[in-house]
Amino acid sequence: MRRIALLGATGSIGKQAIAVVDAAPDLELCALASGSSDLGKLAESHGVEHVQTGGDLTELLERAEPDVVLNAVVGFAGIGATLWALERGITLALANKESLVAAGDLALAARERGGGLLLPVDSEHSAVFQCLERSARESVESIVLTASGGPFRGRSREELADVTVEDALAHPTWNMGPKITVDSATLANKGLELIEAHVLFGLHYDRLEVVVQPSSIVHGLVRFRDGAALAHLGYPDMQVPISWALTYPARAATDLPQLDLASGLTLEFAAPDLETFPLLALARRAGELGGTHPCVYNAANETAVAAFLEGRLPFLGIADVVEAALDGADGAPARDLDELVEADAEARRLAEQGMPVA
Ligand SMILES: NC(=O)c1ccc[n+]([C@@H]2O[C@H](COP(=O)([O-])OP(=O)(O)OC[C@H]3O[C@@H](n4cnc5c(N)ncnc54)[C@H](OP(=O)(O)O)[C@@H]3O)[C@@H](O)[C@H]2O)c1
C-alpha cells in the first residue's frame, strides 16, 4: 500500500487526486491539508488520521510519514513541503509549480541530497518526462511545451483592456482553480512552466519552446537530434498525470476515455502571441537572469493575480506589475530558504507599490 499525503486536498487537483486514490486499490490517503477549508468530513469519509488546515505543512508531514507527497497547494505556500520531501528522498508528486519556480536551485540541491523521485503532475511536464524516459540526455534537441492559449487567444491588447474576472475564469479546455486559470489567460502559467521545465529537465532556455495547441490534446513534445519528435497525447484531464505520478512506474489502469482518432481529430499548432501576452517573455527573461529573478516573477505574479481577482487591478496591469517588480529587484541568489522568503516578501512589496492607487 502506498501512503499519500495530499496537500491542497480541497482544490481542483486535490479533488481529482481523491478520485484517483479512491479508484486505485494500492493507494491510500494518510494526510490531508488545506489552507482554510474544513477537512473534517473528508478525513472521516476516508479514514485519514493526519489533517491540518493552515500552518506549517512540514509538521503534518513529520507526523504522517508518507510514501508520497502530492503537493497540490497553490502558490509559494507550497515551498516548505516541496523542500521537505526532496530533502528526505520521499517521492514528490508536484503540482505546485510555484515552489519549483521560486526555489529551483534550493530544490535541486535538496533532491541531490535526498536522492528521491521528483515526478511532475503538471500535464506538460508529465508528458515531457515520459517522452524523455530511457533517452540519452545528449540525444535531446529541444523540449516543446504546449499551451491552449487560454480564453483570450486571438485577441489584441486593445481587446483585453476591459476584460472581467469572469471572462478570465472561462477557460476553454481545463477546469482549474482561479489562480492558475488567470495565469492561463495571461500566459503566465506557460511562463511558470517554462522555468519549471528548465529546473526539471536541465535544458538551457534556448532549447525550451512554447507552442499554442488550442484543443490541449498534445501535452508536450521532445525533439531529438536525429530529427524525430516524440509527443504525448490525450484528452485534457488532470486525472491522467495525477494517476501517472501516484502509481509510477506502474501506469495503473483508469476509466478515462481513449483518444477517438477515427472521428476526425485534427491538431492545430501556432506560435504564441508574445506582444499581447508579455508574461511569457518576462518569464523567459527572469529564468535566464537566474538568481531570485524567477522567485520575484512568481511573487509579483501571485500578488498581481490576487489584486485582479479582487478587482483592484485591470487584466493588462498584471504584466505591468510583474515587469516593474523584475526591474526593481536585485535578483541576487538565495543561499537558503530564509533568504528566499525575504526575496519573495520584497518582490510582493514591489508589486504592491506598482499597483494603481484606488
Ligand atoms: N488545476 C489544475 O488543473 C492544475 C494543473 C496543473 C498544475 N496545477 C497546479 O496545482 C496547484 C493547485 O492548483 P488548483 O487549481 O488545484 O488550485 P485550487 O483549486 O485553488 O486549490 C488550491 C488548494 O491549495 C490549498 N491551500 C492554499 N493555501 C494553502 C496553505 N497555505 N496551506 C495548505 N493548503 C493551502 C487550498 O485550500 P483551501 O480550500 O482551504 O483554500 C486548496 O486545497 C497550483 O500550483 C497549480 O498551478 C493545477
Side-chain angles (χ1 to χ4, degrees), residues 8 10-13 34-37 72 74 95-98 122 176-177 238:
T10 48
S12 161
I13 293 285
S34 67
S36 56
S37 303
V74 62
N96 175 250
K97 65 191 87 183
E98 294 92 342
D122 234 341
M176 310 179 285
M238 285 306 294

Side-chain angles (χ1 to χ4, degrees), residues 165-181:
V165 169
E166 204 186 4
D167 298 330
L169 290 180
H171 197 280
T173 53
W174 294 101
N175 186 8
M176 310 179 285
K179 193 260 177 184
I180 183 176
T181 306

Side-chain angles (χ1 to χ4, degrees), residues 313-325:
L313 186 68
F315 182 79
L316 291 176
I318 300 173
D320 296 338
V321 165
V322 174
E323 185 167 18

Side-chain angles (χ1 to χ4, degrees), residues 7-16 33-39 52-57 71-78 94-99 121-124 174-181 183 189 192-193 196 237-238 241-242:
L7 313 178
T10 48
S12 161
I13 293 285
K15 286 177 188 154
Q16 295 178 84
S34 67
S36 56
S37 303
D38 182 55
L39 290 165
Q52 186 171 305
T53 294
D56 181 351
L57 291 169
N71 189 350
V73 170
V74 62
F76 190 79
L94 186 67
N96 175 250
K97 65 191 87 183
E98 294 92 342
S99 59
V121 170
D122 234 341
S123 57
E124 296 79 359
W174 294 101
N175 186 8
M176 310 179 285
K179 193 260 177 184
I180 183 176
T181 306
D183 285 349
N189 184 47
L192 293 167
E193 290 179 5
E196 183 185 10
D237 190 322
M238 285 306 294
I242 293 169

